[in-house]
Amino acid sequence: MKFDLSNLRGDITGGITAGVVALPLALALGVASGLGPMAGMYGAIAVGFFAALFGGTGPQISGPTGPMVVVLAGLFASLSGDAALIFTAVMLAGVLQIAFGVLGIGHYIRLVPYPVISGFMTGIGVIIIILQLNPLLGHASPSGVLGALGNVPEAISSIHPANLVLGLATLAMVYLWPGKWGRYLPGPLAALILGTVVAYFALDVPILGSIPTGLPELHMPVLGGENMMLVVEAAIILAILGSLDSLLTSLVADNMSRTRHHSNKELIGQGIGNTAAGFIGGIAGAGATMRTVVNIRSGGQTRISGMTHALVLLAVALGLGPLAENIPQAVLAGILVKVGLDIIDWKYLKRAHQGPRWDLLLMVLVLSMTVFVDLITAVAAGVVLAALAYVKQVASLQIERLRNLPEHLDSEEDKAILQRNRDRIALFEFSGPLSFGAAADLGHHVREQSSKESRVLILNFSSVPYLDLSAALAVETIAADAKSSGKQLYLAGMNEEVHKVLKGLNGRIPASGTFETLSDALKAAEASIESTADVGAGDLNGLPNGGAA
């Protein structure tokens, strides 16, 4: 594996800066997952190093993220804190991501509609904020969104004033920290240091407590048992969510660095990172947008910056324990509220009322399901509904463009033939790819628009690149209707692919019923009408015997 050393100084500077920014977030997200601050550190180290080494986005910084932690926190509650099973889920998620990359699924993950992405990301931000309400008030947070919300009234009735003030002050400091100072000391780290010092000397508030130091222990996967389905389900959610999160961050990195990432290679790198994280007792991670932006702005351009960021965290982790024990929980809660607020898609929410109403409804639905049901159900429902809405829109356009007696014929001769036989020839032009969405109304529309006096139906496929099985069956229905009403059916302008679909479905299409061009079909129709010969309508298993090829 080759390393680009042309920007070594910028990569080291960017990596160190990103590592400093990642430190408080890793600790806070580790606590939020239920597995403890060092699990966040080990996850940041493993995912950050291996995703950079094997991934496909040069300046990307990877580590624990809000969306992944929400899933892990839910799994922690469901498994009653069984760390071995949780780390098994992290490893399985990594293996799945490697499989995604090998199978080339990276290109398809990016096809998730924006309202769905906006909805579940905003929902994750809301969940993070809800889960931090009780710690801000000086109480432990119950598991789950509903549990946390239900405990808020009790927490308010016995509020811990110093804890709340410290948490709000941390949040304010992170928000108000000047950008020019952030180049030297990031806001979250400054708030973490100041909040810890103030609490140590002046406040009696809940702190993290005992934290192990040194190298992590290895954890082997635990397969089987009654909770295995929960582990597998969580692994699938983590793999999909981590892949989406990482590839979205890759797009941000592309825009900032004017480069192009490799989606499937990135998924393989993320998968290796998460598998390694599970083995050393770390939480799952993904591409982290804020840390990636900090890295690029600080000069990072290649994989060396991401690896440097992980090594900085490793150095800190080996001697951090005694210092981190005194970090107040309220400080981490304040930092996490900022993380949650940053994840919410404010940009879309501010202008959602100006866009399509359906997109807003879809976003709100996915948001609600993310908060009150679960992530995978929310994303699955959102993708299905978005796909159905798209198919309906395309089908409406296809039917709308299915015209009887088109006014846009290029040939004057064709126009003249159609004018002379206006009541006896019914011409329908299909436009664009015919799909199953339009199939249901295809035959109905042709029946409605055909004159009772018409003797010949012509279906023009000149502008149809392909059609699916449903559309082919709809054409068969049109043929059956034509036969039962004593009309002839001609098919014109079919390309090789359309012809192949119809022929494969119906056995054979006689050349006498098909024409290479619309002009040929119109001339044959007029000749047939004038000769008053009984050509027969036929169906697609035996199309009209009349006409001229």
Side-chain angles (χ1 to χ4, degrees), residues 321-378:
L323 295 176
E325 290 176 358
N326 295 307
I327 296 175
Q329 293 182 7
V331 170
L332 293 180
I335 292 173
L336 282 171
V337 169
K338 174 64 164 56
V339 171
L341 290 170
D342 286 343
I343 292 176
I344 294 175
D345 192 358
W346 299 108
K347 185 177 180 181
Y348 174 73
L349 289 174
K350 289 177 181 177
R351 57 184 182 180
H353 64 284
Q354 299 174 342
R357 184 166 298 179
W358 164 250
D359 287 344
L360 176 58
L361 290 175
L362 181 61
M363 185 267 190
V364 172
L365 174 66
V366 175
L367 163 60
S368 303
M369 293 185 69
T370 299
V371 175
F372 297 108
V373 186
D374 64 69
L375 288 170
I376 198 165
T377 303

Short mmCIF file of all heavy atoms in Angstrom, two decimals, residues 321-378:
data_model
loop_
_atom_site.label_atom_id
_atom_site.label_comp_id
_atom_site.label_asym_id
_atom_site.label_seq_id
_atom_site.Cartn_x
_atom_site.Cartn_y
_atom_site.Cartn_z
N GLY A 321 -6.60 7.79 32.13
CA GLY A 321 -7.54 7.35 33.16
C GLY A 321 -7.66 8.23 34.38
O GLY A 321 -8.75 8.72 34.71
N PRO A 322 -6.57 8.49 35.11
CA PRO A 322 -6.67 9.27 36.36
C PRO A 322 -7.25 10.67 36.14
O PRO A 322 -7.95 11.20 37.01
CB PRO A 322 -5.22 9.34 36.84
CG PRO A 322 -4.57 8.14 36.23
CD PRO A 322 -5.22 7.97 34.90
N LEU A 323 -6.94 11.27 34.98
CA LEU A 323 -7.46 12.61 34.71
C LEU A 323 -8.95 12.57 34.33
O LEU A 323 -9.73 13.41 34.75
CB LEU A 323 -6.66 13.27 33.58
CG LEU A 323 -5.18 13.54 33.87
CD1 LEU A 323 -4.50 14.09 32.62
CD2 LEU A 323 -5.04 14.53 35.03
N ALA A 324 -9.33 11.58 33.53
CA ALA A 324 -10.70 11.51 33.03
C ALA A 324 -11.70 11.12 34.11
O ALA A 324 -12.90 11.40 33.98
CB ALA A 324 -10.78 10.51 31.88
N GLU A 325 -11.23 10.51 35.20
CA GLU A 325 -12.15 10.10 36.26
C GLU A 325 -12.93 11.27 36.85
O GLU A 325 -14.05 11.11 37.33
CB GLU A 325 -11.37 9.40 37.38
CG GLU A 325 -10.83 8.04 36.98
CD GLU A 325 -9.97 7.42 38.06
OE1 GLU A 325 -9.77 8.10 39.10
OE2 GLU A 325 -9.49 6.29 37.88
N ASN A 326 -12.34 12.46 36.82
CA ASN A 326 -12.98 13.63 37.45
C ASN A 326 -13.84 14.45 36.49
O ASN A 326 -14.33 15.51 36.87
CB ASN A 326 -11.90 14.53 38.05
CG ASN A 326 -11.16 13.85 39.18
OD1 ASN A 326 -11.77 13.36 40.12
ND2 ASN A 326 -9.83 13.79 39.08
N ILE A 327 -14.01 13.98 35.26
CA ILE A 327 -14.86 14.72 34.31
C ILE A 327 -16.32 14.63 34.76
O ILE A 327 -16.85 13.54 34.94
CB ILE A 327 -14.72 14.16 32.89
CG1 ILE A 327 -13.29 14.34 32.37
CG2 ILE A 327 -15.71 14.82 31.94
CD1 ILE A 327 -13.03 13.72 31.02
N PRO A 328 -17.00 15.77 34.95
CA PRO A 328 -18.40 15.74 35.37
C PRO A 328 -19.31 15.21 34.26
O PRO A 328 -19.09 15.49 33.07
CB PRO A 328 -18.71 17.22 35.66
CG PRO A 328 -17.38 17.88 35.80
CD PRO A 328 -16.45 17.13 34.90
N GLN A 329 -20.32 14.47 34.64
CA GLN A 329 -21.27 13.95 33.67
C GLN A 329 -22.04 15.09 33.00
O GLN A 329 -22.43 15.00 31.84
CB GLN A 329 -22.22 12.98 34.35
CG GLN A 329 -21.55 11.70 34.81
CD GLN A 329 -22.51 10.72 35.43
OE1 GLN A 329 -23.72 10.92 35.41
NE2 GLN A 329 -21.98 9.63 36.01
N ALA A 330 -22.25 16.18 33.72
CA ALA A 330 -22.97 17.32 33.16
C ALA A 330 -22.20 17.95 32.00
O ALA A 330 -22.79 18.43 31.03
CB ALA A 330 -23.24 18.36 34.24
N VAL A 331 -20.87 17.96 32.10
CA VAL A 331 -20.05 18.52 31.02
C VAL A 331 -20.19 17.68 29.75
O VAL A 331 -20.38 18.21 28.65
CB VAL A 331 -18.57 18.60 31.46
CG1 VAL A 331 -17.68 18.95 30.27
CG2 VAL A 331 -18.41 19.64 32.57
N LEU A 332 -20.11 16.36 29.92
CA LEU A 332 -20.28 15.49 28.76
C LEU A 332 -21.70 15.60 28.21
O LEU A 332 -21.90 15.55 26.99
CB LEU A 332 -19.98 14.04 29.14
CG LEU A 332 -18.53 13.74 29.50
CD1 LEU A 332 -18.37 12.27 29.85
CD2 LEU A 332 -17.59 14.12 28.37
N ALA A 333 -22.69 15.77 29.07
CA ALA A 333 -24.07 15.93 28.61
C ALA A 333 -24.21 17.21 27.78
O ALA A 333 -24.88 17.22 26.74
CB ALA A 333 -25.03 15.97 29.81
N GLY A 334 -23.57 18.29 28.23
CA GLY A 334 -23.62 19.54 27.47
C GLY A 334 -22.98 19.39 26.10
O GLY A 334 -23.51 19.88 25.09
N ILE A 335 -21.84 18.69 26.04
CA ILE A 335 -21.17 18.46 24.76
C ILE A 335 -22.05 17.61 23.85
O ILE A 335 -22.17 17.86 22.64
CB ILE A 335 -19.81 17.78 24.99
CG1 ILE A 335 -18.86 18.76 25.70
CG2 ILE A 335 -19.21 17.31 23.67
CD1 ILE A 335 -17.54 18.13 26.12
N LEU A 336 -22.72 16.59 24.42
CA LEU A 336 -23.57 15.71 23.62
C LEU A 336 -24.82 16.43 23.12
O LEU A 336 -25.30 16.14 22.02
CB LEU A 336 -23.97 14.48 24.44
CG LEU A 336 -22.90 13.40 24.56
CD1 LEU A 336 -23.32 12.34 25.56
CD2 LEU A 336 -22.61 12.78 23.20
N VAL A 337 -25.37 17.33 23.89
CA VAL A 337 -26.51 18.12 23.41
C VAL A 337 -26.10 18.92 22.17
O VAL A 337 -26.86 19.02 21.20
CB VAL A 337 -27.04 19.06 24.51
CG1 VAL A 337 -28.04 20.06 23.93
CG2 VAL A 337 -27.71 18.25 25.62
N LYS A 338 -24.88 19.46 22.19
CA LYS A 338 -24.37 20.17 21.02
C LYS A 338 -24.24 19.21 19.83
O LYS A 338 -24.59 19.56 18.69
CB LYS A 338 -23.00 20.78 21.34
CG LYS A 338 -22.29 21.43 20.15
CD LYS A 338 -23.05 22.63 19.61
CE LYS A 338 -22.18 23.50 18.70
NZ LYS A 338 -21.56 22.81 17.58
N VAL A 339 -23.77 18.00 20.08
CA VAL A 339 -23.68 16.99 19.02
C VAL A 339 -25.06 16.72 18.43
O VAL A 339 -25.25 16.67 17.21
CB VAL A 339 -23.06 15.68 19.56
CG1 VAL A 339 -23.16 14.57 18.51
CG2 VAL A 339 -21.61 15.91 19.94
N GLY A 340 -26.06 16.54 19.33
CA GLY A 340 -27.42 16.29 18.87
C GLY A 340 -27.99 17.43 18.05
O GLY A 340 -28.62 17.23 17.00
N LEU A 341 -27.76 18.66 18.52
CA LEU A 341 -28.26 19.83 17.80
C LEU A 341 -27.59 19.95 16.42
O LEU A 341 -28.22 20.38 15.45
CB LEU A 341 -28.01 21.09 18.62
CG LEU A 341 -28.87 21.23 19.88
CD1 LEU A 341 -28.38 22.39 20.75
CD2 LEU A 341 -30.34 21.46 19.51
N ASP A 342 -26.32 19.57 16.34
CA ASP A 342 -25.61 19.65 15.06
C ASP A 342 -26.12 18.61 14.07
O ASP A 342 -26.08 18.81 12.85
CB ASP A 342 -24.11 19.45 15.27
CG ASP A 342 -23.45 20.67 15.88
OD1 ASP A 342 -24.07 21.75 15.85
OD2 ASP A 342 -22.33 20.54 16.42
N ILE A 343 -26.58 17.46 14.56
CA ILE A 343 -27.06 16.40 13.68
C ILE A 343 -28.42 16.77 13.08
O ILE A 343 -28.72 16.40 11.94
CB ILE A 343 -27.16 15.07 14.45
CG1 ILE A 343 -25.76 14.58 14.82
CG2 ILE A 343 -27.88 14.00 13.64
CD1 ILE A 343 -25.74 13.33 15.67
N ILE A 344 -29.24 17.51 13.81
CA ILE A 344 -30.56 17.91 13.29
C ILE A 344 -30.38 18.71 12.01
O ILE A 344 -29.55 19.60 11.93
CB ILE A 344 -31.32 18.72 14.36
CG1 ILE A 344 -31.66 17.83 15.56
CG2 ILE A 344 -32.60 19.32 13.77
CD1 ILE A 344 -32.31 18.57 16.71
N ASP A 345 -31.20 18.40 11.02
CA ASP A 345 -31.08 19.03 9.69
C ASP A 345 -31.80 20.38 9.68
O ASP A 345 -32.86 20.53 9.07
CB ASP A 345 -31.65 18.09 8.62
CG ASP A 345 -31.31 18.54 7.21
OD1 ASP A 345 -30.67 19.60 7.07
OD2 ASP A 345 -31.70 17.85 6.26
N TRP A 346 -31.22 21.35 10.34
CA TRP A 346 -31.85 22.68 10.41
C TRP A 346 -31.97 23.32 9.03
O TRP A 346 -32.93 24.04 8.75
CB TRP A 346 -31.03 23.59 11.32
CG TRP A 346 -30.91 23.10 12.73
CD1 TRP A 346 -29.81 22.58 13.34
CD2 TRP A 346 -31.96 23.05 13.72
NE1 TRP A 346 -30.09 22.22 14.63
CE2 TRP A 346 -31.40 22.50 14.90
CE3 TRP A 346 -33.31 23.41 13.71
CZ2 TRP A 346 -32.15 22.30 16.05
CZ3 TRP A 346 -34.05 23.22 14.87
CH2 TRP A 346 -33.47 22.68 16.02
N LYS A 347 -31.00 23.07 8.17
CA LYS A 347 -31.00 23.68 6.84
C LYS A 347 -32.26 23.30 6.07
O LYS A 347 -32.89 24.15 5.42
CB LYS A 347 -29.75 23.22 6.07
CG LYS A 347 -29.58 23.88 4.72
CD LYS A 347 -28.28 23.43 4.07
CE LYS A 347 -28.10 24.09 2.70
NZ LYS A 347 -26.84 23.64 2.04
N TYR A 348 -32.64 22.01 6.15
CA TYR A 348 -33.85 21.59 5.46
C TYR A 348 -35.10 22.07 6.19
O TYR A 348 -36.07 22.51 5.55
CB TYR A 348 -33.88 20.06 5.33
CG TYR A 348 -35.17 19.54 4.74
CD1 TYR A 348 -35.45 19.70 3.39
CD2 TYR A 348 -36.11 18.90 5.53
CE1 TYR A 348 -36.64 19.23 2.86
CE2 TYR A 348 -37.31 18.43 5.01
CZ TYR A 348 -37.56 18.60 3.66
OH TYR A 348 -38.75 18.15 3.14
N LEU A 349 -35.10 21.99 7.51
CA LEU A 349 -36.28 22.37 8.28
C LEU A 349 -36.67 23.83 8.06
O LEU A 349 -37.86 24.18 8.03
CB LEU A 349 -36.04 22.13 9.78
CG LEU A 349 -35.98 20.66 10.22
CD1 LEU A 349 -35.59 20.55 11.68
CD2 LEU A 349 -37.32 19.98 9.97
N LYS A 350 -35.67 24.70 7.87
CA LYS A 350 -35.95 26.12 7.67
C LYS A 350 -36.68 26.41 6.36
O LYS A 350 -37.41 27.39 6.24
CB LYS A 350 -34.65 26.92 7.73
CG LYS A 350 -34.05 27.01 9.12
CD LYS A 350 -32.72 27.76 9.10
CE LYS A 350 -32.10 27.82 10.50
NZ LYS A 350 -30.77 28.48 10.49
N ARG A 351 -36.45 25.56 5.37
CA ARG A 351 -37.08 25.82 4.06
C ARG A 351 -38.00 24.69 3.61
O ARG A 351 -38.41 24.65 2.45
CB ARG A 351 -35.98 26.03 3.02
CG ARG A 351 -35.01 24.88 2.89
CD ARG A 351 -33.90 25.19 1.92
NE ARG A 351 -33.01 24.04 1.79
CZ ARG A 351 -31.94 24.02 1.00
NH1 ARG A 351 -31.64 25.09 0.29
NH2 ARG A 351 -31.19 22.95 0.92
N ALA A 352 -38.33 23.78 4.53
CA ALA A 352 -39.17 22.64 4.16
C ALA A 352 -40.53 23.06 3.65
O ALA A 352 -41.09 22.44 2.75
CB ALA A 352 -39.32 21.70 5.36
N HIS A 353 -41.07 24.15 4.22
CA HIS A 353 -42.41 24.60 3.82
C HIS A 353 -42.43 25.12 2.39
O HIS A 353 -43.51 25.26 1.79
CB HIS A 353 -42.89 25.70 4.76
CG HIS A 353 -42.06 26.95 4.72
ND1 HIS A 353 -40.82 27.02 5.35
CD2 HIS A 353 -42.27 28.16 4.14
CE1 HIS A 353 -40.31 28.23 5.14
NE2 HIS A 353 -41.16 28.93 4.42
N GLN A 354 -41.26 25.40 1.82
CA GLN A 354 -41.20 25.90 0.45
C GLN A 354 -41.08 24.78 -0.57
O GLN A 354 -41.23 25.01 -1.76
CB GLN A 354 -40.01 26.86 0.30
CG GLN A 354 -40.10 28.08 1.21
CD GLN A 354 -38.84 28.93 1.15
OE1 GLN A 354 -37.79 28.48 0.71
NE2 GLN A 354 -38.95 30.17 1.60
N GLY A 355 -40.78 23.58 -0.11
CA GLY A 355 -40.59 22.45 -1.01
C GLY A 355 -41.85 21.62 -1.13
O GLY A 355 -42.92 21.98 -0.61
N PRO A 356 -41.76 20.48 -1.83
CA PRO A 356 -42.92 19.59 -1.98
C PRO A 356 -43.45 19.13 -0.63
O PRO A 356 -42.68 18.74 0.25
CB PRO A 356 -42.34 18.41 -2.78
CG PRO A 356 -41.15 18.96 -3.48
CD PRO A 356 -40.58 20.00 -2.56
N ARG A 357 -44.76 19.16 -0.49
CA ARG A 357 -45.37 18.78 0.79
C ARG A 357 -45.14 17.31 1.11
O ARG A 357 -44.96 16.94 2.26
CB ARG A 357 -46.88 19.08 0.74
CG ARG A 357 -47.60 18.83 2.05
CD ARG A 357 -48.97 19.45 2.05
NE ARG A 357 -48.89 20.91 1.92
CZ ARG A 357 -49.95 21.70 1.89
NH1 ARG A 357 -51.16 21.18 1.95
NH2 ARG A 357 -49.81 22.99 1.77
N TRP A 358 -45.14 16.47 0.07
CA TRP A 358 -44.92 15.04 0.30
C TRP A 358 -43.56 14.79 0.93
O TRP A 358 -43.42 13.96 1.83
CB TRP A 358 -45.07 14.27 -1.00
CG TRP A 358 -44.51 12.88 -0.92
CD1 TRP A 358 -43.39 12.39 -1.53
CD2 TRP A 358 -45.02 11.79 -0.13
NE1 TRP A 358 -43.17 11.08 -1.18
CE2 TRP A 358 -44.15 10.68 -0.32
CE3 TRP A 358 -46.11 11.65 0.73
CZ2 TRP A 358 -44.36 9.46 0.29
CZ3 TRP A 358 -46.31 10.42 1.35
CH2 TRP A 358 -45.45 9.36 1.12
N ASP A 359 -42.52 15.49 0.46
CA ASP A 359 -41.18 15.30 1.01
C ASP A 359 -41.14 15.67 2.49
O ASP A 359 -40.49 15.00 3.29
CB ASP A 359 -40.16 16.15 0.23
CG ASP A 359 -39.87 15.58 -1.15
OD1 ASP A 359 -40.22 14.42 -1.38
OD2 ASP A 359 -39.32 16.31 -1.99
N LEU A 360 -41.84 16.74 2.85
CA LEU A 360 -41.90 17.15 4.26
C LEU A 360 -42.61 16.10 5.10
O LEU A 360 -42.16 15.74 6.20
CB LEU A 360 -42.60 18.50 4.38
CG LEU A 360 -42.82 19.02 5.81
CD1 LEU A 360 -41.50 19.15 6.55
CD2 LEU A 360 -43.56 20.36 5.78
N LEU A 361 -43.74 15.58 4.59
CA LEU A 361 -44.47 14.54 5.32
C LEU A 361 -43.62 13.29 5.49
O LEU A 361 -43.62 12.67 6.56
CB LEU A 361 -45.77 14.21 4.58
CG LEU A 361 -46.85 15.29 4.58
CD1 LEU A 361 -48.03 14.87 3.69
CD2 LEU A 361 -47.34 15.56 6.00
N LEU A 362 -42.88 12.93 4.44
CA LEU A 362 -42.02 11.76 4.51
C LEU A 362 -40.92 11.97 5.55
O LEU A 362 -40.61 11.07 6.35
CB LEU A 362 -41.40 11.49 3.14
CG LEU A 362 -40.48 10.27 3.03
CD1 LEU A 362 -41.26 8.99 3.34
CD2 LEU A 362 -39.87 10.18 1.63
N MET A 363 -40.33 13.17 5.57
CA MET A 363 -39.28 13.47 6.53
C MET A 363 -39.82 13.38 7.96
O MET A 363 -39.19 12.79 8.85
CB MET A 363 -38.74 14.88 6.25
CG MET A 363 -37.55 15.27 7.11
SD MET A 363 -38.06 16.14 8.61
CE MET A 363 -36.48 16.69 9.21
N VAL A 364 -41.01 13.95 8.21
CA VAL A 364 -41.60 13.94 9.55
C VAL A 364 -41.95 12.51 9.96
O VAL A 364 -41.75 12.11 11.13
CB VAL A 364 -42.86 14.83 9.58
CG1 VAL A 364 -43.61 14.66 10.90
CG2 VAL A 364 -42.49 16.29 9.37
N LEU A 365 -42.44 11.70 9.01
CA LEU A 365 -42.76 10.30 9.31
C LEU A 365 -41.52 9.53 9.73
O LEU A 365 -41.51 8.82 10.75
CB LEU A 365 -43.40 9.64 8.09
CG LEU A 365 -43.66 8.14 8.22
CD1 LEU A 365 -44.72 7.88 9.28
CD2 LEU A 365 -44.10 7.54 6.88
N VAL A 366 -40.44 9.67 8.95
CA VAL A 366 -39.19 8.97 9.28
C VAL A 366 -38.62 9.47 10.60
O VAL A 366 -38.14 8.69 11.43
CB VAL A 366 -38.16 9.14 8.14
CG1 VAL A 366 -36.82 8.53 8.53
CG2 VAL A 366 -38.67 8.51 6.85
N LEU A 367 -38.70 10.78 10.82
CA LEU A 367 -38.25 11.37 12.09
C LEU A 367 -39.01 10.75 13.27
O LEU A 367 -38.41 10.32 14.26
CB LEU A 367 -38.46 12.88 12.05
CG LEU A 367 -38.44 13.66 13.37
CD1 LEU A 367 -37.12 13.50 14.08
CD2 LEU A 367 -38.74 15.13 13.11
N SER A 368 -40.33 10.69 13.17
CA SER A 368 -41.15 10.17 14.26
C SER A 368 -40.87 8.69 14.51
O SER A 368 -40.75 8.25 15.67
CB SER A 368 -42.64 10.36 13.93
OG SER A 368 -42.93 11.72 13.70
N MET A 369 -40.74 7.92 13.43
CA MET A 369 -40.48 6.48 13.59
C MET A 369 -39.08 6.25 14.15
O MET A 369 -38.86 5.30 14.90
CB MET A 369 -40.64 5.77 12.24
CG MET A 369 -42.07 5.74 11.73
SD MET A 369 -42.24 4.77 10.21
CE MET A 369 -41.97 3.12 10.83
N THR A 370 -38.13 7.10 13.78
CA THR A 370 -36.78 6.97 14.33
C THR A 370 -36.78 7.16 15.84
O THR A 370 -36.14 6.41 16.58
CB THR A 370 -35.84 8.00 13.67
OG1 THR A 370 -35.78 7.75 12.27
CG2 THR A 370 -34.44 7.90 14.25
N VAL A 371 -37.52 8.16 16.29
CA VAL A 371 -37.54 8.49 17.73
C VAL A 371 -38.35 7.47 18.53
O VAL A 371 -37.92 7.02 19.58
CB VAL A 371 -38.10 9.91 17.94
CG1 VAL A 371 -38.25 10.21 19.43
CG2 VAL A 371 -37.19 10.95 17.28
N PHE A 372 -39.51 7.08 18.00
CA PHE A 372 -40.44 6.29 18.81
C PHE A 372 -40.53 4.81 18.42
O PHE A 372 -41.15 4.03 19.14
CB PHE A 372 -41.83 6.92 18.77
CG PHE A 372 -41.88 8.30 19.36
CD1 PHE A 372 -42.03 9.41 18.54
CD2 PHE A 372 -41.73 8.49 20.72
CE1 PHE A 372 -42.06 10.69 19.07
CE2 PHE A 372 -41.76 9.77 21.26
CZ PHE A 372 -41.93 10.88 20.44
N VAL A 373 -39.96 4.42 17.29
CA VAL A 373 -39.99 2.99 16.91
C VAL A 373 -38.54 2.48 16.89
O VAL A 373 -38.02 2.10 17.92
CB VAL A 373 -40.70 2.78 15.55
CG1 VAL A 373 -40.83 1.29 15.25
CG2 VAL A 373 -42.08 3.43 15.55
N ASP A 374 -37.92 2.45 15.73
CA ASP A 374 -36.50 2.13 15.66
C ASP A 374 -35.97 2.58 14.31
O ASP A 374 -36.73 2.85 13.38
CB ASP A 374 -36.22 0.64 15.90
CG ASP A 374 -36.83 -0.24 14.83
OD1 ASP A 374 -36.37 -0.21 13.68
OD2 ASP A 374 -37.79 -0.98 15.16
N LEU A 375 -34.66 2.63 14.20
CA LEU A 375 -34.01 3.20 13.03
C LEU A 375 -34.25 2.40 11.76
O LEU A 375 -34.57 2.96 10.70
CB LEU A 375 -32.50 3.31 13.28
CG LEU A 375 -32.07 4.38 14.26
CD1 LEU A 375 -30.60 4.21 14.61
CD2 LEU A 375 -32.30 5.75 13.67
N ILE A 376 -34.09 1.08 11.84
CA ILE A 376 -34.19 0.28 10.62
C ILE A 376 -35.60 0.28 10.06
O ILE A 376 -35.81 0.32 8.85
CB ILE A 376 -33.68 -1.16 10.86
CG1 ILE A 376 -33.36 -1.83 9.53
CG2 ILE A 376 -34.65 -1.97 11.66
CD1 ILE A 376 -32.53 -3.09 9.65
N THR A 377 -36.60 0.27 10.94
CA THR A 377 -37.98 0.35 10.48
C THR A 377 -38.24 1.71 9.84
O THR A 377 -38.91 1.80 8.80
CB THR A 377 -38.96 0.14 11.66
OG1 THR A 377 -38.69 -1.12 12.27
CG2 THR A 377 -40.40 0.17 11.19
N ALA A 378 -37.71 2.75 10.45
CA ALA A 378 -37.91 4.10 9.91
C ALA A 378 -37.30 4.23 8.52
O ALA A 378 -37.94 4.74 7.59
CB ALA A 378 -37.29 5.13 10.86
#
